[in-house]
């Protein structure tokens, strides 16, 4: 049986905020050019829901638009984010490399993210995270789009007996608790105090993980 740590990606390991606004603006510029949007890009609204599956993102940002336009917007957005990742516009959080290296000596590390596979693969490739992360799981693997079910899949496939989920949103905390793992909340860019209050442990930086003994 395996002792493991399952990481969220956006707002936990990767500073998505660095590519979020440019990617979102580029997407909505296309919508404006095609006559499908007027006014400002809803950046703040997206920040509020950061971490939810992308179909929910577009249902929230484009509530009065057709499913086809939402899907087209999602494709454009994904292309923009991947492009910016490879251009080096994003970044991992401080001490991510050192922390993952240290933790990998004791735990098997995984990613369970609401991000799409192509997006996650770009981050893994750009920053060489395969050095420490055994496998990446995208929400695309779960038809329900439920993070708890995704974490359950990670646990069952890898025979994990004990461990933790590290993330910045309530879906990560709930996924940990639903599967009997320690819930570690990240007080980073997109975190919400009311959501973090549900966590077993709260960290202010990734390096704090190396001092947690009860995983």
């Amino acid at each position: 049986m395996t002792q493991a740590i399952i990481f969220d990606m956006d707002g936990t390991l990767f500073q998505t905020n660095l590519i979020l606004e440019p990617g979102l603006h580029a997407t909505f510029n296309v919508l404006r050019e095609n006559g499908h949007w007027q006014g400002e890009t809803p950046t703040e609204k997206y920040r509020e829901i950061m971490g939810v599956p992308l179909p929910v993102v577009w249902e929230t940002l484009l509530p009065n638009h057709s499913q086809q336009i939402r899907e087209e917007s999602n494709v454009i957005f994904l292309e923009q984010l991947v492009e910016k990742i490879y251009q080096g516009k994003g970044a991992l959080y401080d001490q991510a490399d050192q922390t993952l290296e240290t933790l990998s000596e004791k735990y098997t590390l995984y990613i369970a993210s609401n991000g799409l596979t192509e997006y996650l693969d770009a981050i893994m490739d750009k920053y060489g995270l395969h050095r420490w992360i055994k496998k990446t799981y995208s929400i695309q693997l779960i038809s329900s789009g439920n993070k708890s079910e995704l974490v359950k899949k990670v646990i069952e496939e890898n025979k994990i007996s004990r461990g933790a989920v590290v993330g910045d949103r309530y879906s990560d905390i709930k996924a940990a608790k639903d599967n009997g793992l320690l819930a570690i909340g990240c007080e980073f860019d997109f975190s919400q105090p009311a959501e973090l209050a549900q966590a077993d442990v709260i960290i202010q930086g990734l390096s704090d993980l190396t001092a947690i003994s009860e995983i």
Side-chain angles (χ1 to χ4, degrees):
M1 301 296 279
T2 303
Q3 194 170 2
I5 301 178
I6 303 169
F7 286 90
D8 176 43
M9 181 65 88
D10 292 321
T12 298
L13 291 178
F14 183 68
Q15 296 186 56
T16 317
N17 57 311
L18 298 178
I19 63 171
L20 167 66
E21 190 167 337
L24 206 62
H25 276 303
T27 303
F28 275 84
N29 281 340
V30 174
L31 288 172
R32 291 185 191 96
E33 291 169 2
N34 294 333
H36 297 312
W37 186 261
Q38 295 180 344
E40 298 296 319
T41 300
T43 307
E44 288 305 317
K45 182 178 288 188
Y46 187 37
R47 286 179 177 272
E48 293 172 5
I49 61 171
M50 184 66 200
V52 303
L54 282 171
V56 179
V57 167
W58 297 108
E59 288 170 8
T60 304
L61 299 185
L62 302 174
N64 300 318
H65 291 68
S66 68
Q67 186 61 27
Q68 180 180 344
I69 291 176
R70 291 174 186 167
E71 291 175 358
E72 291 173 355
S73 300
N74 190 51
V75 170
I76 296 167
F77 187 51
L78 179 61
E79 290 173 347
Q80 289 292 327
L81 294 182
V82 168
E83 179 180 311
K84 289 173 186 356
I85 289 167
Y86 281 116
Q87 288 174 343
K89 300 290 180 65
L92 299 179
Y93 279 99
D94 290 344
Q95 298 186 310
D97 284 351
Q98 303 95 310
T99 300
L100 291 174
E101 182 176 11
T102 299
L103 292 174
S104 68
E105 295 172 359
K106 185 177 180 181
Y107 307 99
T108 306
L109 309 182
Y110 300 92
I111 298 291
S113 171
N114 281 335
L116 301 185
T117 301
E118 183 181 351
Y119 168 76
L120 297 174
D121 286 348
I123 297 173
M124 295 291 291
D125 181 42
K126 175 66 178 178
Y127 299 101
L129 296 183
H130 293 289
R131 288 173 287 172
W132 309 295
I133 304 294
K134 182 176 180 180
K135 190 172 181 179
T136 300
Y137 289 79
S138 165
I139 200 67
Q140 284 176 287
L141 297 171
I142 303 296
S143 59
S144 66
N146 185 290
K147 190 71 168 281
S148 294
E149 291 184 23
L150 182 62
V151 168
K152 181 180 180 181
K153 182 179 180 67
V154 179
I155 292 170
E156 291 180 345
E157 285 192 0
N158 299 283
K159 297 180 171 59
I160 296 169
S161 59
R162 183 179 175 187
V165 175
V166 182
D168 64 318
R169 301 310 301 262
Y170 179 66
S171 60
D172 303 305
I173 295 167
K174 187 175 187 299
K177 292 182 177 292
D178 285 348
N179 289 284
L181 301 181
L182 186 72
I184 301 177
C186 301
E187 196 171 4
F188 299 170
D189 293 311
F190 300 108
S191 63
Q192 303 291 327
E195 296 182 0
L196 289 184
Q198 309 298 314
D200 297 311
V201 179
I202 298 175
I203 60 172
Q204 278 76 46
L206 287 172
S207 61
D208 294 347
L209 290 170
T210 60
I212 299 174
S213 59
E214 66 264 33
I215 297 176

